[in-house]
Amino acid sequence: MITLRAFGNAAEAAMAKSVLDDHGISCSLADEASHLYGGAPTAMPVRLLVREDQAEKAQRILDAPGPALPENFDVMTGPEPTEKPAPDVAVQLRSLQRTVRRLVVVSTVLFFLLWCFVAYLLTERPTYVDRLWRNISSATQHSDFERARRIVQVAV
């Protein structure tokens, strides 16, 4: 099989393959899922492969223009719609993207704060009596009896 054409996207290649299939020409597509593996369409285009003996006929079929519209085709021209035009999709997507980013940041900060709070609750802290006794012992060991006396008086 030889490469007849290379396409920038899989949809165009699939349409060409469908046309050739309708004319009885055996063909296949190569690299149609290349975008799934990180390759950009321009880096790895989708190739249309045909048998060598049918390549000339396939080229003629693809180069031929398609059928024209019938003469009685109605274009449906009518009054302009009175509704306001739909907002630009790209603008809405950018707005949605900003909203999602903000939600990710806020939820990350809230999760961190929740984690800190749970860690604080789970840490063991000395009781009032333990802290009082440590302060009295520390003052006594440093021969600061006046401070030790004040701590005891406050405690009593």
Side-chain angles (χ1 to χ4, degrees):
M1 297 195 87
I2 63 169
T3 301
L4 185 65
R5 287 194 182 166
F7 295 91
N9 66 38
E12 291 177 2
M15 287 175 51
K17 181 183 183 315
S18 175
V19 168
L20 293 180
D21 285 342
D22 286 345
H23 284 85
I25 296 176
S26 62
C27 59
S28 63
L29 297 176
D31 306 322
E32 67 181 313
S34 61
H35 67 282
L36 298 174
Y37 305 112
T42 55
M44 186 175 267
V46 179
R47 296 178 295 139
L48 178 65
L49 305 174
V50 296
R51 289 192 347 218
E52 288 183 40
D53 59 326
Q54 294 180 330
E56 201 172 302
K57 183 179 176 185
Q59 188 66 41
R60 276 195 314 267
I61 291 171
L62 292 179
D63 288 340
L69 293 173
E71 290 181 24
N72 63 351
F73 181 75
D74 185 16
V75 182
M76 292 188 61
T77 56
E80 292 294 320
T82 56
E83 301 174 15
K84 58 183 176 179
D88 188 18
V89 174
V91 172
Q92 287 182 341
L93 286 176
R94 279 192 293 273
S95 173
L96 182 62
Q97 187 178 27
R98 282 192 302 268
T99 304
V100 167
R101 282 184 188 153
R102 288 180 187 141
L103 285 173
V104 167
V105 169
V106 168
S107 62
T108 303
V109 168
L110 288 175
F111 178 76
F112 177 73
L113 290 174
L114 178 66
W115 184 82
C116 289
F117 180 68
V118 168
Y120 172 76
L121 290 177
L122 294 178
T123 55
E124 200 169 307
R125 289 174 302 285
T127 61
Y128 176 72
V129 175
D130 292 336
R131 286 183 296 165
L132 185 65
W133 181 249
R134 278 193 212 145
N135 287 338
I136 294 170
S137 297
S138 173
T140 307
Q141 287 174 353
H142 292 94
S143 299
D144 190 0
F145 298 113
E146 182 60 33
R147 182 170 171 252
R149 186 181 61 76
R150 276 183 283 143
I151 293 172
V152 171
Q153 282 179 343
V154 169
V156 172

